Amino acid sequence: MSGHSKWATTKHKKAIIDAKRGKAFTRLAKEITVAARIGGGDPEGNPRLRTAMLKAREENMPMDNIKKAIQRGTGEIPGAHYEECQFEGHGPKGVAVMLKVQTDNKNRTVPELRTIFSKNGGNLGENGCVSWMFDQKGMISLEWPGATEDKAMELALETGADEFRLHENGIDLITSPADFSTVLESVKSRKLVPTFAEITMIPQTSVHLDGKDAQMMVRLMEALEEHDDVENVWSNFDIPDALLEQLLSGNP
């Protein structure tokens, strides 16, 4: 779990940098458009759209951009038609990798993803090859150095989380997808600021990596997340925190 949690926190920090380049806005707009197309343009009756809009506001996306993305989804204004796809594959040492992709040209995206996998010690597989290793859950990560099990359990009970997981720098609260928004609001009402909060795919087991395998896995994750059509990447790798920080800093 440590690798998953650590990468999730790092991805949140990276999103702030991406936002400055406009990349995060593009991905958020795609998600809002797809959510509106599937479930309608009213966030009150569309939980997925409501969550996407909340994330967009947290990244300071202008309301005009959000409104236009919704209108593209509902067909009120013209725009690209994004198809939502799931892809699965393996990284070094058989690490499981799942992708959520939103693309307007699947015939272009698939070979590009296959190339990224092959260049970084992995391979793109068939749908279903690794998805059975993951559970869809809400995850809210909090920096809380020195947190005790009793304190973490107390917070989980008070906020309505299903479970908690202690790690080196804090805790993760785990929820069902349906309860995620309620638990998140409860956390924020206590003046706690999550380092990561979203409905995600949590691996049931993990694969320990070090050395060259760890280095190659980080390159694969970064390359996949850099692809414009990739909305989310999930994996079950477990790289020691110190090594992961070193690799992410660009000092292998």
Side-chain angles (χ1 to χ4, degrees):
M1 184 63 191
S2 63
H4 179 90
S5 178
K6 184 71 175 180
W7 186 270
T9 302
T10 302
K11 189 174 74 169
H12 174 78
K13 294 176 181 176
K14 181 174 177 292
I16 297 173
I17 299 171
D18 284 347
K20 295 176 182 177
R21 302 198 302 260
K23 182 167 282 189
F25 283 4
T26 301
R27 290 179 175 176
L28 288 166
K30 281 186 182 180
E31 172 61 14
I32 291 169
T33 297
V34 171
R37 177 170 58 82
I38 294 173
D42 180 9
E44 292 301 317
N46 186 342
R48 177 172 174 178
L49 177 60
R50 187 166 63 248
T51 299
M53 290 175 65
L54 178 62
K55 288 176 65 176
R57 294 304 298 146
E58 287 176 348
E59 298 293 346
N60 296 316
M61 187 174 182
M63 277 303 301
D64 189 52
N65 293 33
I66 294 173
K67 182 179 178 181
K68 287 179 179 177
I70 294 173
Q71 291 175 327
R72 282 193 291 271
T74 57
E76 296 174 65
I77 61 175
H81 179 81
Y82 294 111
E83 179 182 2
E84 185 170 83
C85 315
Q86 177 175 299
F87 292 99
E88 304 173 31
H90 295 93
K93 291 187 69 174
V95 167
V97 181
M98 280 185 62
L99 310 172
K100 185 172 83 172
V101 170
Q102 292 170 348
T103 178
D104 60 354
N105 187 344
K106 191 174 178 180
N107 291 332
R108 179 201 71 237
T109 302
V110 172
E112 290 176 353
L113 293 178
R114 183 172 288 112
T115 297
I116 291 173
F117 271 95
S118 64
K119 284 185 174 180
N120 294 282
N123 62 280
L124 187 65
E126 298 293 328
N127 276 359
C129 67
V130 301
S131 57
W132 58 273
M133 302 181 191
F134 295 81
D135 296 313
Q136 187 180 47
K137 297 284 186 180
M139 186 168 78
I140 302 166
S141 297
L142 298 164
E143 284 190 5
W144 193 347
T148 65
E149 188 165 343
D150 287 344
K151 287 290 186 182
M153 182 180 295
E154 181 181 351
L155 181 63
L157 290 171
E158 289 178 351
T159 57
D162 292 338
E163 60 178 298
F164 66 90
R165 300 179 183 181
L166 281 171
H167 52 82
E168 185 178 345
N169 297 315
I171 66 171
D172 297 326
L173 297 177
I174 310 299
T175 80
S176 68
D179 293 339
F180 171 74
S181 295
T182 302
V183 175
L184 180 58
E185 288 304 314
S186 183
V187 167
K188 290 181 176 179
S189 73
R190 289 164 170 75
K191 310 299 181 185
L192 298 172
V193 181
T195 56
F196 175 83
E198 68 178 42
I199 295 174
T200 185
M201 302 298 292
I202 297 180
Q204 299 167 5
T205 59
S206 60
V207 177
H208 178 78
L209 297 178
D210 54 22
K212 292 290 186 182
D213 290 325
Q215 188 175 356
M216 196 172 294
M217 187 69 222
V218 167
R219 285 205 304 264
L220 173 60
M221 291 289 288
E222 290 182 326
L224 289 170
E225 290 194 342
E226 281 294 318
H227 193 286
D228 289 340
D229 294 340
V230 174
E231 180 72 14
N232 274 305
V233 186
W234 302 285
S235 182
N236 70 338
F237 69 84
D238 183 10
I239 299 172
D241 287 351
L243 176 57
L244 185 56
E245 288 181 3
Q246 183 181 7
L247 291 171
L248 290 171
S249 70
N251 297 307

